[in-house]
Amino acid sequence: MDARAYRASLNDGRRVYARGERVTDLAAHPDFAPNIERTAEVYDRFEADPEAREAFFTPPTTIEGMRHHAALHVDSATHTTYSSLMTLLTAADRIAAVRPQAAEAVAAYVAMVRDKDLRIAECITDAKGDRSRPPSQQEDKDAYLRVVERRPDGVVIRGAKLHISLAASSHELMVIPTKAMKPGEEDYAIACAVPVNAPGVSIVNVLNAAPPEGSDPRDFPFANQRAVPQGFVIFDDVFVPHERIFLDGEVKQAAVFAHSLGLWVRTSSMISMCDGFDVMVGLAQLIAEANGLERVDHIRAKISEMIIHSTLLRATLEASMVHAAKLESGVLAPSEIYTNAGKYHGAANYMVMVRHLLDIAGGSAITAPSMRDLENEDIGHLVRKYMGTRQSIDGAYRTRLFHAVHDLTTSAHGGAKYAGLLMGGGGLYAQNIVTRMRYDIERAKRMAFDAMGWSPERD
Ligand SMILES: Cc1cc2nc3c(=O)[nH]c(=O)nc-3n(C[C@H](O)[C@H](O)[C@H](O)COP(=O)(O)OP(=O)(O)OC[C@H]3O[C@@H](n4cnc5c(N)ncnc54)[C@H](O)[C@@H]3O)c2cc1C
């Protein structure tokens, strides 16, 4: 598909809601249009360069290939599609012994998605009801998505998946269990793929990270490029044919999909966090220079600490690739322990980066006048004069930097970015569990005894 075909493909009868109303023309709606345009641009880029598309969607089999892949820049929908395909391939590999038909179903589905050049949204997080109770003991049995009917040709599913990025502007919904299931919870152990326009699917959207309507794009450089609509996806008795089912009732394997997804989503998250941390370091240095304070000790110390977090994050990303595991299919999967420890480190220290950036920038990060005020005939020259610091640092230049700091940290976009970074791919606790699971704690205990020169068996 090219950009035009992609935009047209979204007019397929899908039930999308925003601001309390049904959306009829998605590509023209202000909440969706900017994001759709970013995806459309990548469609055009790949249409002009089919080899680039092939390279992006081909799973790497070498470390060099992984590094190259990590450096490719595409929009979020294309990124999410890649991590969905990788999730399905990884999970099919891991459950082959129990559900051999999954490999065939996944292979056919992956081929179909690539053939038709579709985009996939990842539907994992259930409504979950009372968090202290498992799916089968919820007052409302639909709190976790489940199979409500079995037919000779497939199943009928009911439930809701929440906070689903880009659901409304994708073509396919990859539906997988959010957690491990126990015997008795077979109906909840369902993984499948559903077209966005399937009868019974409705998506209610929120875009709380958008710049204020009518604002100057220079005042919100990040929100303008990156705000992502989040979908509340309702599956109200949706039929799924057999060929689109990847797991059905195998409770022991229910968590495999979420773990596989966690790995790929956290890897994507790490890649964008690494770039994001470097952007924050760069912005801190630019604003320090614009303020005339780049040589001051405490400013340098803060930027050094930011550099250390940024470097450690990149080091874990690098380690996750160097220690990648080879799947049956020959595809390399990033190392789980480094991916999870790195994602945790980045998300847990994000606010330190924000704190230093704001502290270095000063109050104008929140109160700088709009770029349009700087252009106002009556007052603009005075605003520019007082926003400037010295001859080489003109007021407009410095003001624009402040808007970037504001938008990255304290605007609606900044807040939503932090929540997304913290919660996307599961909150800190999710990375905590996997890191601990993959860490060799027995080896650490042995090392502690060795370090003490003490062998409990001997003395
Ligand atoms: C911007 C954004 C984008 C997202 N995109 C997607 C997406 O594309 N697809 C998708 O599927 N999901 C997506 N998510 C959802 C994300 O994965 C979840 O928000 C996350 O897994 C936490 O789930 P929750 O929001 O239901 O919070 P909860 O599960 O309610 O968690 C809140 C807190 O309670 C703790 N907690 C919950 N249950 C228990 C328990 N039983 N015992 C002990 N502690 C518990 C958690 O560890 C956490 O600290 C997105 C989230 C955000 C914010």
Side-chain angles (χ1 to χ4, degrees):
M1 274 196 265
D2 61 8
R4 189 204 290 238
Y6 165 61
R7 281 186 217 104
S9 72
L10 302 173
N11 268 334
D12 57 2
R14 59 189 60 202
R15 294 174 69 84
V16 172
Y17 297 82
R19 308 186 193 195
E21 287 176 359
R22 176 108 185 242
V23 178
T24 44
D25 188 355
L26 207 62
H29 192 283
D31 285 3
F32 301 95
N35 217 281
I36 287 174
E37 282 319 299
R38 285 194 289 280
T39 303
E41 274 165 29
V42 173
Y43 267 109
D44 264 353
R45 204 170 98 203
F46 282 176
E47 183 66 11
D49 182 2
E51 276 178 25
R53 173 173 41 215
E54 197 55 24
F56 186 79
F57 285 112
T58 303
T61 51
T62 63
I63 294 171
E64 222 19 77
M66 286 180 104
R67 282 199 192 102
H68 177 68
H69 200 270
L72 293 173
H73 287 282
V74 294
D75 65 298
S76 307
T78 309
H79 237 298
T80 307
T81 301
Y82 174 74
S83 59
S84 304
L85 296 178
M86 295 309 295
T87 298
L88 291 176
L89 290 168
T90 312
D93 212 79
R94 290 176 179 173
I95 66 168
V98 179
R99 192 178 168 92
Q101 70 271 40
E104 208 179 302
V106 164
Y109 180 73
V110 170
M112 186 280 289
V113 166
R114 290 184 58 171
D115 221 42
K116 294 193 173 168
D117 206 4
L118 305 179
R119 295 295 177 263
I120 307 178
E122 297 164 335
C123 292
I124 306 97
T125 312
D126 289 285
K128 292 191 287 202
D130 179 343
R131 268 63 176 158
S132 68
R133 297 187 189 187
S136 55
Q137 283 165 35
Q138 295 286 336
E139 280 173 15
D140 184 341
K141 297 285 177 244
D142 304 334
Y144 287 76
L145 183 132
R146 64 182 177 131
V147 173
V148 290
E149 190 189 336
R150 286 173 203 286
R151 296 183 187 165
D153 49 349
V155 301
V156 175
I157 57 173
R158 186 188 301 157
K161 296 284 188 180
L162 273 49
H163 334 283
I164 310 306
S165 307
L166 299 162
S169 52
S170 298
H171 304 103
E172 289 280 323
L173 304 169
M174 179 185 72
V175 179
I176 64 176
T178 198
K179 65 200 272 286
M181 299 293 164
K182 297 204 176 76
E185 294 176 336
E186 284 73 13
D187 288 342
Y188 296 95
I190 175 81
C192 56
V194 175
V196 171
N197 67 345
V201 171
S202 304
I203 308 175
V204 183
N205 293 272
V206 62
L207 181 68
N208 57 13
E213 260 169 33
S215 57
D216 188 312
R218 293 167 299 178
D219 293 355
F220 295 90
F222 297 102
N224 254 300
Q225 293 170 41
R226 305 205 182 137
V228 166
Q230 308 293 340
F232 188 115
V233 185
I234 300 166
F235 296 81
D236 197 19
D237 291 1
V238 175
F239 174 70
V240 187
H242 281 310
E243 63 272 18
R244 283 176 161 265
I245 298 175
F246 312 127
L247 185 86
D248 180 15
E250 294 89 349
V251 278
K252 279 198 179 148
Q253 272 64 44
V256 170
F257 283 85
H259 278 162
S260 305
L261 176 112
L263 176 62
W264 292 101
V265 168
R266 284 166 209 159
T267 302
S268 287
S269 193
M270 287 262 287
I271 293 168
S272 68
M273 239 195 299
C274 280
D275 291 347
F277 272 35
D278 284 338
V279 167
M280 289 170 101
V281 171
L283 207 42
Q285 181 68 25
L286 285 171
I287 206 85
E289 288 171 9
N291 287 348
L293 292 173
E294 73 274 19
R295 292 199 185 81
V296 168
D297 280 352
H298 80 93
I299 301 282
R300 283 172 65 87
K302 283 169 187 142
I303 294 178
S304 300
E305 193 183 337
M306 293 173 79
I307 291 172
I308 286 171
H309 285 307
S310 179
T311 306
L312 282 176
L313 193 61
R314 218 166 262 287
T316 46
L317 174 65
E318 181 63 21
S320 76
M321 296 190 279
V322 171
H323 296 278
K326 201 159 220 141
L327 304 176
E328 280 286 294
S329 53
V331 169
L332 282 180
S335 143
E336 284 197 297
I337 188 164
Y338 291 113
T339 301
N340 281 275
K343 164 74 172 42
Y344 181 97
H345 180 84
N349 285 293
Y350 188 73
M351 275 298 161
V352 176
M353 300 289 285
V354 169
R355 189 184 84 205
H356 286 331
L357 183 52
L358 282 173
D359 198 13
I360 291 165
S364 294
I366 312 299
T367 64
S370 162
M371 296 305 290
R372 283 188 193 142
D373 293 320
L374 271 70
E375 287 157 5
N376 180 283
E377 274 183 22
D378 307 335
I379 205 72
H381 65 290
L382 289 178
V383 181
R384 282 201 302 278
K385 167 178 150 86
Y386 291 111
M387 285 303 289
T389 40
R390 55 179 185 269
Q391 226 173 15
S392 60
I393 303 290
D394 147 74
Y397 169 84
R398 187 162 163 262
T399 304
R400 208 160 164 176
L401 288 180
F402 282 127
H403 286 305
V405 174
H406 165 239
D407 197 23
L408 201 55
T409 57
T410 53
S411 70
H413 170 75
K417 184 180 161 66
Y418 176 52
L421 195 138
L422 192 64
M423 286 294 160
L428 292 177
Y429 184 52
Q431 288 111 75
N432 219 304
I433 297 173
V434 182
T435 307
R436 200 186 158 88
M437 206 163 66
R438 296 284 171 239
Y439 182 80
D440 190 347
I441 197 91
E442 292 307 320
R443 175 174 167 272
K445 280 158 61 181
R446 282 195 308 277
M447 288 177 70
F449 279 126
D450 286 351
M452 290 184 278
W454 172 20
S455 168
E457 293 92 39
R458 246 193 0 251
D459 33 61

